[in-house]
Structures are given as C-alpha cells and as structure tokens.
Amino acid sequence: MNVSVIISIIIGFLLLFGAFLSLVTAFGLLRLPDVYTRNHAASKAATLGVMSILLGTFLYFYSEHGHFNSKLLLAIVFIFITAPVAGHLISRAAYHSGVKLWDKSVQDDLKHKKEYEEKARS
Amino acid sequence: MRTRTNDLILQTITTVVAFIIILFSLSLFFAGHYNPGGGFVGGLMTSGAIVLLLLAYDIKTVASILPIDYKILIAVGLLFAVGTGAGALIFNVPFLTHAYDYFYLPLLGKTSLHTAVLFDTGVYLVVIGVTMTIIQTIGESE
C-alpha cells in the first residue's frame, strides 16, 4: 500500500466517523428524556462529528488537489471553541428559566446554592 | 428583575472569537475579486462580530470600545462609492469606469490594485453602518 491509498482510507474513515457521530446525535436528541441530557448529546457528539468531517474534507483537498484550505482549519478551531459554549449557554438558560430535571435524577446542587444565596441575601 | 450576572464563560470566549470573526470578515472582503466574498458578506460578518460583543457586554461598554457613529459610517461609505464613480469622470471616461494595474509593493510583491476595491470599501462600510444602526436602535428602544 502506498501513501495515497492510506490517506484515502484515513479520509474515508474520518468522513464516515463524522457522519456516524451526527447520526448518534440525532438519536440522542430523539431518545434522551430531558433538556440537559439532550444538550449533552448534541453539544458533544455533533461537535466531534462536524470536526472530523471538516478534517476529512481538508485532507481530501490537500492530498488530491494540493490545495491548502486554511479556512477549514479555522472552522475546526472555531467550532471547537464555540459549540460547547453554546451548549453551556442553552443549558444555563433552561435551568434559570425553571426547566425541570428528569424525574429520575437524584442530585441538583445548583438548587441548594440558589436557596443558600437567597437566605444570605435576606 | 436583573441581578448580578455571571457571564464569565461567554465574555471570555467572545473576546477570543470576535478576533477570529473580524479576521475572517477581512479575508472575505479582500478575497472578493478572485474568490467568493466581497464587501457585502465581509460587512455583514464584521457587524456579526460587533453584535456578538453586544450580546456578551452591554451597549454602553461596546460604545466605549468602538466609539463609532454608525450613521456617519453609512455616509462615508456612500461617499466612497460615489467618489470612485465620479473619479472616472476626471479621466474623461464614463461614470463608474474602473481601472487596474499591477504594482510591486515592498512586502507583498506583485499585486493587482483595482479601483473596484474602493467601491467595495463603500459597500462594506454601508453594510456595517446599516446593520449596526438597525440593531442598536431596536436594542435601545424601551
């Protein structure tokens, strides 16, 4: 096996892996019980899936056409920085607007902190 | 009732990401002649970065970071566009005739400089001005 075949296999693996992770995200969004677990699935799996699809695309253009597309690398960094923050903000907004946790969850540390702060203020 | 906010993560990420967005918008603006991009998309992207700053901080903080009157920016942009068009009349050619040539700049090497870039600068400034004026007037009204 020469180098270009190995690189094509890596590209194919990255693209299929990214597509698989996006599918996992979609199943997670459908099957998980509440906002927080769904957000957990969406912000983690989709981020890695999109990043590996972009890395596969970058490798394809670099190896097949000799075209170094720095925008794709910038997009990978950008998604890696921003997607988890978006997930954090959505979860936080959901919690502060009073969305209930799943009825089988056992621990809610932030609730006690809120009560404690209100007690300290009054 | 708005109490003490705790937006540390959003504000830290915004300071990093706004630089990336502004760099990418400048890249889109200068790529306009040979690649997809140009004044309109570049201007929208730059105002997107400013809107992200507005989301993370408040209007007064952003106004102290960028002390720009966006209505004046619209006027300057229109002046750029009309000025490039009227500049053609000096050389006795029709309105909006553009000229280009290749120059050897000290750092960049062989570069093609085109007067359409000046027109594009006008479009860029007008798009930033209009977007930011719309968003700030909506945001400030109670």
Side-chain angles (χ1 to χ4, degrees):
Chain A
M1 278 210 299
N2 55 356
V3 180
S4 67
V5 176
I6 297 173
I7 289 179
S8 334
I9 290 172
I10 292 174
I11 291 169
F13 171 74
L14 280 173
L15 292 178
L16 288 176
F17 182 63
F20 171 72
L21 278 180
S22 308
L23 191 69
V24 167
T25 308
F27 276 120
L29 285 179
L30 285 176
R31 294 191 56 90
L32 287 173
D34 70 344
V35 176
Y36 308 102
T37 45
R38 280 178 187 161
N39 202 346
H40 166 83
S43 59
K44 281 189 173 65
T47 308
L48 187 60
V50 173
M51 276 168 69
S52 52
I53 287 177
L54 284 175
L55 190 64
T57 318
F58 170 77
L59 282 178
Y60 172 77
F61 278 112
Y62 188 54
S63 68
E64 301 285 320
H65 301 283
H67 171 62
F68 189 90
N69 196 340
S70 53
K71 279 177 200 165
L72 286 171
L73 293 180
L74 194 67
I76 291 173
V77 173
F78 191 82
I79 285 172
F80 186 62
I81 296 174
T82 53
V85 178
H88 159 76
L89 288 173
I90 292 169
S91 270
R92 222 182 82 147
Y95 189 86
H96 285 305
S97 57
V99 176
K100 291 276 182 295
L101 271 69
W102 186 29
D103 16 310
K104 283 179 192 160
S105 26
V106 290
Q107 202 172 0
D108 185 5
D109 284 344
L110 207 53
K111 192 174 81 181
H112 299 306
K113 184 176 175 292
K114 242 181 181 174
E115 284 168 3
Y116 176 76
E117 274 184 348
E118 272 165 16
K119 212 173 283 176
R121 203 176 293 142
S122 60
Chain B
M1 185 66 195
R2 201 179 157 87
T3 51
R4 190 167 49 93
T5 53
N6 184 12
D7 291 336
L8 184 65
I9 295 177
L10 177 63
Q11 289 177 349
T12 314
I13 291 302
T14 299
T15 46
V16 177
V17 158
F19 278 107
I20 300 179
I21 299 176
I22 287 174
L23 271 180
F24 185 59
S25 75
L26 286 178
S27 150
L28 275 177
F29 170 67
F30 285 114
H33 203 73
Y34 294 109
N35 294 104
F40 187 78
V41 191
L44 272 184
M45 200 96 183
T46 308
S47 45
I50 304 173
V51 169
L52 183 64
L53 287 174
L54 281 174
L55 283 177
Y57 302 94
D58 52 3
I59 287 182
K60 276 177 192 152
T61 318
V62 177
S64 67
I65 297 169
L66 296 166
I68 304 168
D69 190 353
Y70 293 103
K71 291 187 278 301
I72 294 177
L73 209 63
I74 301 174
V76 171
L78 287 176
L79 206 67
F80 259 99
V82 175
T84 356
L89 295 176
I90 301 173
F91 300 102
N92 213 7
V93 282
F95 187 69
L96 275 176
T97 307
H98 286 284
Y100 72 97
D101 206 350
Y102 291 96
F103 294 96
Y104 286 90
L105 298 178
L107 205 63
L108 299 169
K110 188 184 178 189
T111 318
S112 69
L113 294 182
H114 202 299
T115 51
V117 177
L118 292 174
F119 188 82
D120 230 16
T121 311
V123 176
Y124 180 76
L125 295 177
V126 168
V127 168
I128 294 176
V130 168
T131 317
M132 293 317 296
T133 309
I134 290 172
I135 288 170
Q136 282 198 338
T137 41
I138 292 174
E140 276 169 351
S141 67
E142 294 288 314

